[in-house]
Structures are given as structure tokens and as C-alpha cells.
Amino acid sequence: MLSLFSSVETYLCKALERSLPDLGLIPGNSCLSIDPQLVSASKPEFGDFQANCALSLAKKMKRSPRDIANAIVEQLEEDDDFLEICEIPKIAGPGFINLTIRNECLIKELKDRLGDDRLGVPHNVVNKGKDQASSVVVDFSSPNIAKEMHVGHLRSTIIGDCLSRVLEFLGHSVVRVNHVGDWGTQFGMLITHLNEVSPQALHKADSVDLGDLVAFYREAKKRFDDDEHFRTKSRHEVVKLQGGDLLALKAWQLLCDQSRREFQKIYDRLNISIHERGESFYNPYLKSVVDELTTKHLVVTDQGAKCVFLQEKSQDSRKAPPVIVQKKDGGFNYATTDLAALRYRFKQTPEGDGATRVIYVTDAGQANHFDGVFQVAQRANWIPEQGRVQHVPFGLVLGDDGKKLKTRSGETVRLCDLLDEAVDRAKIDLCRRLNEEGREEDQAFINKVSTTVGLASVKYADLSQNRITNYQFSFDRMLSLQGNTAPYLLYACVRISGIARKGGDLETTGDNLSFCERYEWDLVRQILKFDEIIIQVEEELLPNRLCNYLFELSQVFNRFYDQVPVLKAEQPFRNSRLVLCRLTAETLRLGLGLLGIPTLDRM
RNA sequence: GCGCCUGUAGCUCAGCGGAUUAGAGCAUCUGACUACGGAUCAGAGGGUCGGGAGUUCGAAUCUCUCCAGGCGCGCCA
């Protein structure tokens, strides 16, 4: 409906100019244009769109809102181009102008969707030309080397992947960056521990399997805490590593490789592609970051540390906390790294990524940190004029008790365990159902369905929630077959495949489309809304908007399916309904695909 | 103490300037399988949108204030 929307908006603007020639006299308005305040209708019974401008113009023009609305509608009624797409407008309530798209026009739109693999969603590069194609950096997932991926990485990984998919689909060139924690003082103790536990690892060509890296990390940490001798050696090892000592670097590399393999297993399982560019990548740039900030007179030395003091918005007399860019021992910290990364991402290629938009998908707790980093980068002029930098925060993952999710023994939940459990539960559920229905399916089917349903449920449950709030994790709820869940949406897809199996030709042409039932028109309208939802997600970076749309689409489809026969209908209704089935299936497949969820034909 | 975020139906949450009844889902209750998978559909009950003030023709939505909860707070990331 995007193109219809903008057509209607254009006609409205023209009607406004013609009906209210003295618009320009309103203080604060240029005479050329005024916003007709066109939005989607707030309720289906009001039509497709509504224009709200009459109400806000009323006071300024000292006329009644209904009077103004009348004047606008009079002009619209004389515009033949407008009447081609819209029914005669209705004025409702205090002065809303309700607009309903003509049926023929909806049918034409629907036809245009057939054979269009973008389902009406505009492509950025095609639309704006190659020069406008923008490069977007999405920074997400970012686990720490030598630690395991756990629930804490779940949301960033899933949300980041989804946003990347949406931006890619819209034609942006997306750089998916895994900003892994692969540098820092913890490597001192890890390398020291490795040297003692498995010294042969450093001298063999092939890397050695270190087994459970988490256990390894824990052992090293324990020794670091307990043993002063070990502590001294560790600190020495950090210095060696930072100084470029070959053996230390080799140990570091070994640890990184080991972790990388473990991370990759999770990404493969979730079908997520991401490119590692860890903190260490920015080491060569750290010094120049501080130098440049110093040259630009942003740096103040305070208690031995080099700081950039933030400019405050509030009048509070207290000093805002500084962003520390160099510690008093001369070392750099994470703020320095983030600044180096930000500068690099906006710099033109080949010195940088040439990004026009940089997106950070991290938990809401880092909001202050990013505020500070962004402000410093802004003041240092590292963000180009057209550049956008956004922190995309999300809340914590909570357990049933409303507290941070932990295992029963109080430990952090490992991501692979969590995924295993989702798939196991999906399998148990499926087998119980097969048993109840007396169905027989082979093992391959059972495995495929339970894997797809299990992982889809985890992803969908996360994405369907507004990411800003904390998120209460519940296997029972996410795997439930009813409600706003992945299985419900997947079931809608399965039903359509069922129609195809029973002889419905989903490749049927869109000639002679004809609809007669309310449920058909509801479905037509819902299908046509897809394009504006995707544009909304691009702008707001809220995947739950897409989930909500897909859930509503499934609901509307299920109502249709329940009330309107497809295969037994007479022509031309049979074909028309098959077209609706086909477009529903394609929209669900594409939409779920953008969430990172594959669909099924049977389940 | 300061900063950020969140308080909407019994529960989990949408909505974040607009239209008599503030929406879903779960749970509860009542109906519907001789149509394509009932893993569905139709319906009912359930809310002074944390409290108070303000802006507006109009506020769950914007502003201020108070209350409650979460998270963070100079050399960890």
C-alpha cells in the first residue's frame, strides 16, 4: 500500500491547496505545503487511510474542523485521478476524513504482487540509484573469547541478525560485525595457564583441543585470584602480548581459534552469518584516537587518566562522568576501542567501512556508555553529516521468577543447552501429537520438524517482544501451539501447503480476480500492508512490528480458511482464492525469512 | 546520591498525539468438525492504561512531579 499511500497523499496536498488558498497566511507555515496528516485508518471500519489535518488546522484558521474537512473533500470529489483509486471520502467524528481504496485498485495491486519476489517492497539501490546505496554496519552478538556463548548473547544475536536481514533485503550493503572480546588483561592469566597446562600446544602445528573452555577460564581465574606468583606471571604475559611477543601471540591465537570454532557451531545452527572483527583489530588505531582527541582539545588529564568530559544537557551542577580514553598506567580501555571502531566504520574505504549508518545491538545497560562514546565521536567530527549512529538496546532475559535467567543450580545458562532444550521439547511435543493422531512419520521428518520448530520458537519469542523491555523466557509459552508463537505461524504455512497437496494450483494466474466475501477482502488488505511494515522496521529497528504483522496475517488467513472454501469453490472464485493462498504463503515465507526462520510444508 | 529504562486485563505483552466500547495472546467459561490438517474458528466475562498536576478541541500516548521495580554509575567490557 506504500505507493497508494503516497498517491493519496499527493492528491490530498493538491486538494488542500485548492480548498484553502489562504493556507500560506497561517503563521509559521510556508505557503507551499502543509502536511495532510495522512495515516493508516485506526480501525478497519474507517477505511484504509484517514487524514487528520482538519482538526489541527481548525484553530489556526478559526473555522470549524468539519467545515475545513468539507472544503477538502469537495476538492477531492472533483479530482478524477483521485477517484480512480479512492471511494468518495467520508467525514467522521469531529472532522476526520476517511478514505477507502476502490476494490479494482486493490485487485490491481494484488496482481502486481504475483511474480514479484519482493512482494512490493522497494529496493533501495534500484530506487535511488547506486550512489545512494548505503553501507550499514550492524554490530551484534559479540561474545568473549575463552568464554562460552550464554543467554546473555541470545538477544543480541537474534535481533542483530534479523535487523541485518531486513536491511539487506532493502538493498543496503550490510556489514555484520562480530566485535568479539579478544583483547584485554584476562589474556595474561589465560596464556599463563595454557603455558603450564598444555605447553606442547604452542609448539605443534595443529591446534590442540582444550576441551571445555569455560572450565579452562575458570581454572585460570581461580589461580589468578589465589596465587600471587601466578598473578605476577600473568601481568608479565599481558605486557609480552601487547609488546608483540611471538610466543604470547601464538598462545593468544590458539585461544581465539578454539573459541571461534565453538561460536561457529552456534551460528551455523541458528543459520546466522557474521564476520569476526574483534577488539584486537583496532589496536593499531588506539593511539591515534587519543592523539586526535588531544589535538582537537577534547582531552583533559584527571587523576592521571586522559578523559573527555561530557557536555551535559541538564543543569545539574555536578560534573558528568568522563569517558576515559587512556588509563593512568598508559593502557587503553574499551571506550578507546569503541571510539576507534566508530571512527573506522565511518571512514571511507579502504581506510574504513564507509558506513552511512552504524547500529549497535547491545543490552540496555550500556546505554550510558554509548551515549558518551557517541558524543565524543560527534565532537571529534568522526560522524559524517549524513551519518547515523544508533544504539539498539534490549532488556534482560528473565526466568519464570522474574529474575535474571539462571540454571537451577544458579549458573549462567549456556546457549547450546538452551537451544537443545527447545528442540527436545519440540520433539516430545511432536511425538505425543503423532501418537495421539495415529500418524506415522520417519525419523528424518521428526528431526527436521522438531529442530525447525524448536529454534523458530526461541527466535520468534524473542523477536515478537518489544526489545526495550525485559523479556520473560518461557519454553512452555514459546512452544505453545496457540497464540502469537512460531508454531501458530508455521501452521498457517502448513495449511496452505495442504491445499496445494490436495490439488490447488498455487501457480495459478491472476486473471479475472474476483472476491465476494469480507474475509477475502480482509486478507487482501493484510497482504498489501507488508511493504510499509518492512519500511517501518528499517526505520525503527523494532522486529516485533514485523512479528505482529505476520501474526495478524496468520489470524486473518485462518479466519478465511475457516469460513471460505477454496478447492470446492466455483470459478472465478476458486482461482482468486488460490491467489490469496499463494500470496499469504509467500508473505509468510518472506517475512519469517527476514526473522531468520524457515517455514515447513508439513509439521 | 546521579543517570538510563520500565510500570496497561489474573498472567505475558501490543499500542506511544486522535473518533462512543483502550487491543492481542494465555488462562477461565460457552458454542462450531459429512469443506482444504479442530495445532483451527466464533462468542463471553475481565482494565479509574502506577498516583497527581499541566499542555491540547482531544492524552495510555507529550511536559512536570511523586511512587514502585530493573539496570548502570572514572581507569572491567
Side-chain angles (χ1 to χ4, degrees):
Chain A
M1 298 268 242
L2 277 173
S3 62
L4 283 175
F5 182 91
S6 71
S7 300
V8 170
E9 193 170 43
T10 307
Y11 297 134
L12 260 170
C13 286
K14 286 185 191 157
L16 264 168
E17 281 168 32
R18 276 183 275 129
S19 59
L20 308 166
D22 49 348
L23 270 179
L25 303 177
I26 299 173
N29 263 318
S30 73
C31 59
L32 288 175
S33 69
I34 189 146
D35 183 7
Q37 299 183 27
L38 186 67
V39 294
S40 294
S42 58
K43 286 184 183 174
E45 53 267 39
F46 301 145
D48 293 298
F49 307 127
Q50 61 184 57
N52 299 339
C53 56
L55 292 104
S56 51
L57 284 173
K59 195 171 194 186
K60 296 175 194 161
M61 303 190 67
K62 299 194 171 112
R63 288 169 68 180
S64 88
R66 283 194 78 101
D67 191 30
I68 293 173
N70 256 316
I72 297 168
V73 169
E74 257 171 46
Q75 289 303 318
L76 286 172
E77 283 174 359
E78 286 176 17
D79 186 338
D80 290 339
D81 292 337
F82 169 79
L83 292 177
E84 287 256 311
I85 56 176
C86 267
E87 303 286 350
I88 302 285
K90 288 181 189 143
I91 298 171
F96 298 97
I97 302 172
N98 289 344
L99 302 160
T100 303
I101 302 295
R102 295 172 63 90
N103 287 349
E104 306 89 277
C105 196
L106 291 174
I107 286 179
K108 189 192 160 295
E109 281 283 307
L110 202 67
K111 260 189 194 166
D112 290 345
R113 296 288 185 280
L114 289 169
D116 172 14
D117 54 12
R118 303 191 59 78
L119 295 175
V121 179
H123 189 287
N124 232 40
V125 178
V126 174
N127 274 28
K128 296 184 185 161
K130 242 187 167 161
D131 299 343
Q132 293 294 308
S134 62
S135 174
V136 184
V137 170
V138 183
D139 179 321
F140 68 101
S141 197
S142 311
N144 285 316
I145 292 291
K147 289 192 194 170
E148 205 151 11
M149 286 183 81
H150 53 82
V151 256
H153 303 109
L154 180 69
R155 304 202 76 187
S156 176
T157 305
I158 291 173
I159 295 168
D161 175 58
C162 170
L163 295 177
S164 299
R165 284 175 193 263
V166 171
L167 292 164
E168 281 157 2
F169 180 68
L170 283 163
H172 300 289
S173 144
V174 175
V175 189
R176 298 156 164 257
V177 177
N178 203 1
H179 191 79
V180 299
D182 66 354
W183 203 251
T185 45
Q186 79 271 26
F187 280 95
M189 67 183 195
L190 291 169
I191 293 171
T192 309
H193 190 54
L194 180 65
N195 278 333
E196 294 180 12
V197 174
S198 188
Q200 73 282 8
L202 296 173
H203 302 289
K204 274 198 203 159
D206 293 331
S207 55
V208 165
D209 189 0
L210 295 175
D212 189 349
L213 263 178
V214 176
F216 183 85
Y217 187 95
R218 231 178 266 138
E219 287 162 25
K221 181 82 169 69
K222 188 170 187 325
R223 294 188 64 191
F224 186 84
D225 291 340
D226 297 349
D227 180 350
E228 198 182 328
H229 179 62
F230 185 87
R231 217 157 31 227
T232 314
K233 277 174 84 175
S234 296
R235 291 210 181 93
H236 186 58
E237 207 61 56
V238 174
V239 177
K240 274 166 74 182
L241 179 64
Q242 289 177 342
D245 176 85
L246 286 180
L247 210 58
L249 275 171
K250 172 129 198 234
W252 171 73
Q253 196 67 55
L254 202 70
L255 290 161
C256 291
D257 287 344
Q258 175 84 8
S259 301
R260 203 167 286 136
R261 280 195 294 273
E262 293 301 313
F263 298 159
Q264 197 54 46
K265 284 183 198 161
I266 300 263
Y267 296 133
D268 286 347
R269 210 169 162 195
L270 292 171
N271 188 25
I272 286 172
S273 110
I274 187 163
H275 305 291
E276 183 182 318
R277 191 204 279 158
E279 293 166 354
S280 63
F281 177 86
Y282 303 98
N283 286 344
Y285 306 107
L286 298 177
K287 185 175 176 300
S288 84
V289 163
V290 177
D291 289 348
E292 203 179 325
L293 291 173
T294 309
T295 310
K296 291 179 174 169
H297 307 292
L298 295 170
V299 172
V300 173
T301 303
D302 191 79
Q303 297 169 41
K306 290 191 177 173
C307 307
V308 179
F309 282 93
L310 295 174
Q311 291 170 338
E312 282 182 279
K313 289 158 206 158
S314 69
Q315 278 100 342
D316 197 310
S317 57
R318 286 161 188 267
K319 250 198 315 192
V323 172
I324 294 177
V325 293
Q326 189 162 17
K327 300 187 280 188
K328 69 177 170 200
D329 67 3
F332 304 109
N333 62 3
Y334 66 111
T336 329
T337 308
D338 278 340
L339 282 165
L342 192 52
R343 189 179 63 168
Y344 183 90
R345 290 164 183 183
F346 276 121
K347 254 193 192 164
Q348 287 307 310
T349 48
E351 289 87 25
D353 293 318
T356 51
R357 190 178 186 187
V358 178
I359 291 167
Y360 292 85
V361 187
T362 78
D363 67 279
Q366 296 192 50
N368 291 338
H369 164 65
F370 280 113
D371 276 352
V373 167
F374 294 167
Q375 192 195 109
V376 173
Q378 184 77 49
R379 286 205 270 158
N381 242 332
W382 290 337
I383 302 171
E385 217 164 301
Q386 306 285 336
R388 270 212 279 181
V389 54
Q390 292 170 286
H391 178 217
V392 174
F394 54 82
L396 282 80
V397 180
L398 308 178
D400 286 328
D401 54 358
K403 290 184 179 160
K404 215 168 162 175
L405 188 66
K406 300 261 168 156
T407 62
R408 243 161 287 175
S409 52
E411 294 188 345
T412 309
V413 180
R414 304 194 311 167
L415 203 42
C416 63
D417 292 343
L418 185 146
L419 299 178
D420 284 344
E421 185 166 354
V423 172
D424 286 347
R425 284 177 180 242
K427 186 180 266 180
I428 290 167
D429 219 56
L430 175 65
C431 290
R432 187 182 44 94
R433 186 168 299 282
L434 291 177
N435 200 19
E436 276 172 16
E437 295 172 7
R439 280 167 67 188
E440 297 238 351
E441 299 287 355
D442 59 30
Q443 207 54 46
F445 175 87
I446 292 172
N447 286 339
K448 187 185 173 202
V449 171
S450 45
T451 304
T452 304
V453 170
L455 298 180
S457 298
V458 172
K459 285 189 182 184
Y460 189 84
D462 198 323
L463 294 170
S464 60
Q465 200 119 150
N466 185 324
R467 36 157 248 268
I468 295 163
T469 52
N470 289 347
Y471 152 51
Q472 193 159 357
F473 191 93
S474 160
F475 283 117
D476 287 334
R477 230 177 296 139
M478 71 177 68
L479 287 162
S480 163
L481 310 160
Q482 293 123 313
N484 187 3
T485 64
Y488 178 86
L489 303 207
L490 291 173
Y491 180 61
C493 298
V494 165
R495 282 184 136 181
I496 298 170
S497 297
I499 289 178
R501 274 196 301 276
K502 288 274 162 79
D505 178 13
L506 295 182
E507 295 306 306
T508 182
T509 62
D511 297 334
N512 202 11
L513 289 181
S514 186
F515 302 113
C516 56
E517 301 275 351
R518 181 168 72 87
Y519 295 107
E520 292 174 308
W521 287 113
D522 288 348
L523 192 48
V524 168
R525 289 196 154 86
Q526 185 68 14
I527 288 168
L528 293 179
K529 275 183 196 159
F530 182 64
D531 52 3
E532 59 189 78
I533 297 296
I534 299 302
I535 297 299
Q536 228 178 60
V537 175
E538 173 191 32
E539 191 48 40
E540 301 175 326
L541 307 176
L542 290 172
N544 64 305
R545 293 274 155 84
L546 177 54
C547 294
N548 200 39
Y549 165 80
L550 294 172
F551 174 58
E552 279 169 9
L553 176 62
S554 305
Q555 276 187 315
V556 174
F557 172 77
N558 276 328
R559 251 167 244 153
F560 160 84
Y561 181 93
D562 198 61
Q563 301 290 322
V564 184
V566 176
L567 294 176
K568 294 200 170 169
E570 301 290 326
Q571 294 295 15
F573 300 115
R574 188 175 189 272
N575 255 358
S576 303
R577 289 169 190 175
L578 281 169
V579 162
L580 290 181
C581 290
R582 169 183 169 180
L583 287 174
T584 302
E586 286 178 357
T587 308
L588 284 172
R589 196 181 312 131
L590 179 55
L592 283 167
L594 293 175
L595 300 176
I597 296 173
T599 57
L600 292 164
D601 288 328
R602 296 197 304 125
M603 63 192 277

